[in-house]
Amino acid sequence: MENSRKRHLDDAKTTGMMKRHISSRGAVTQPNRRHFPLINQGATCYLSSVLQVLFVTSEIHERLDPTACILDRELKTIFKNLPKTSCGTENITDALGIFNVHQQRDAAECLEMLVKSLGPKASQLFQGQLKETTTCLKGHVIIEETTPFLTLPLSLQDGHSAKCSVKTGFRQFFQSTAHTGDNMVYCSECKQKTEATSGCEMVDFPQVMTLLLKRFDFDFNTRSDVKSNCCVEVPNTIQTENKSYRLYGMVNHMGSLRGGHYTATVLSGEDNAWYDCDDAHVTEVEEQPFANNKKYSSSTAYLLMYRASASRTDKSSGEQDQPKNPRSPAKTQKKPILIFLIVFGCVVLVILVILFSVFVL
């Protein structure tokens, strides 16, 4: 991993971007710098990348409880100092029980380890619930269970080189699966094996939704682990049943299975600009993702972090953005007309009764 990191940084030097870089000693090379680096202890780029995304997760800052656990205390210290200077991560690795800082680790596993080690208030931000249901053709519920999740794994369904779509993978994750032929399941109400369908739905929506792109998989043809470097179209927003999520952080993986390197791309809440965080170097992204409504694609994106912004119905139309006041002017203007018609009708009725009585008598 370290050799791959050095090669990656050498490539960055050739682009002429070094004058905007920040050194690992915290020296600022650009005035009014908004982001500072985290120092790599050896092969801890996976940790630095995850921490940079958590740093821009503003919702977590006030939820960290230094009295709840050691990790909350150490994260609060780093998040307090990081806007002013570069920081080390030795206390974080100690709190997580990571003693071999030269061993390569997976960023997704690191994120889950961090979230599970946080205090309950902070970890709750990332937790959701999925309900999985299997029903027979007659509608009998065979299996129904609810499970918690921290990340949603999305398959790169189009192979290793074709362009994939996060939105397609997200939809496929919730698509129903048919059980037919040899895969039929037993229904206790039908008292026999029967065809059925299985599917899942999100019943508890997390404030921060993490999508895991399954770039690492097992190839049954070669019987070996492989990594997919396919280009993935990443959406700026994702709509669920009743929430709208907006992208604010990415953890990227480049290189091979055994010599890879992690970086982070994060959206700053200070200036609304995207930054690349590559260990001791932090640079503002030259071609800002989604600028001028452009699509964004990546062959290195691995973890995608989305925060809930508002309900889907609130964003569906301009009319629904307006408050629904039952005493609105449009309705109050109709009341005088209605009252006039009622009074006029009563007067006409009285006249008709009088005329009828006169003629009859």
Side-chain angles (χ1 to χ4, degrees), residues 34-261:
R34 299 179 184 275
H35 284 267
F36 286 84
L38 291 166
I39 301 171
N40 193 328
Q41 298 182 51
T44 57
C45 56
Y46 62 90
L47 175 63
S48 299
S49 301
V50 169
L51 289 178
Q52 288 284 9
V53 176
L54 292 182
F55 173 65
V56 296
T57 308
S58 56
E59 298 88 341
I60 198 177
H61 289 214
E62 296 303 320
R63 289 173 174 253
L64 293 172
D65 183 2
T67 64
C69 62
I70 297 175
L71 185 61
D72 279 35
R73 186 181 70 221
E74 300 302 337
L75 281 181
K76 201 169 187 68
T77 300
I78 281 187
F79 293 165
K80 179 181 179 181
N81 295 329
L82 199 55
K84 300 174 291 186
T85 182
S86 59
C87 299
T89 58
E90 291 81 4
N91 291 342
I92 301 295
T93 51
D94 288 344
L96 294 174
I98 299 174
F99 303 110
N100 186 358
V101 294
H102 298 281
Q103 179 184 4
Q104 181 183 15
R105 289 175 176 262
D106 180 69
E109 293 177 357
C110 176
L111 175 62
E112 290 211 10
M113 186 190 307
L114 274 163
V115 172
K116 290 178 179 178
S117 301
L118 289 172
K121 289 183 179 180
S123 63
Q124 188 181 18
L125 282 171
F126 307 89
Q127 296 175 3
Q129 298 260 357
L130 293 174
K131 183 172 74 173
E132 300 184 43
T133 308
T134 301
T135 57
C136 72
L137 293 181
K138 293 183 179 180
H140 301 144
V141 177
I142 300 173
I143 301 173
E144 183 177 273
E145 57 182 5
T146 302
T147 56
F149 74 90
L150 295 177
T151 59
L152 294 179
L154 305 186
S155 296
L156 303 179
Q157 71 283 350
D158 296 329
H160 301 300
S161 58
K163 192 171 183 178
C164 307
S165 167
V166 168
K167 284 190 174 181
T168 299
F170 190 78
R171 286 195 300 267
Q172 289 182 342
F173 183 86
F174 294 98
Q175 281 182 350
S176 299
T177 302
H179 302 279
T180 60
D182 295 336
N183 295 322
M184 290 194 301
V185 295
Y186 182 80
C187 176
S188 58
E189 294 194 44
C190 296
K191 300 187 184 305
Q192 62 179 358
K193 277 192 170 185
T194 179
E195 294 185 355
T197 57
S198 295
C200 75
E201 60 178 327
M202 200 183 304
V203 293
D204 188 5
F205 297 80
Q207 178 65 23
V208 175
M209 181 174 65
T210 306
L211 305 183
L212 166 64
L213 304 185
K214 296 173 65 176
R215 292 195 177 276
F216 306 104
D217 211 341
F218 184 80
D219 191 331
F220 288 95
N221 295 325
T222 61
R223 296 187 176 277
S224 62
D225 295 322
V226 294
K227 185 203 169 186
S228 171
N229 292 309
C230 72
C231 195
V232 180
E233 188 173 298
V234 179
N236 192 20
T237 59
I238 288 183
Q239 301 284 356
T240 62
E241 183 180 353
N242 62 356
K243 280 199 181 289
S244 175
Y245 286 90
R246 185 171 294 275
L247 183 71
Y248 74 94
M250 296 178 277
V251 174
N252 313 293
H253 182 273
M254 53 204 69
S256 63
L257 286 168
R258 296 172 180 80
H261 176 60

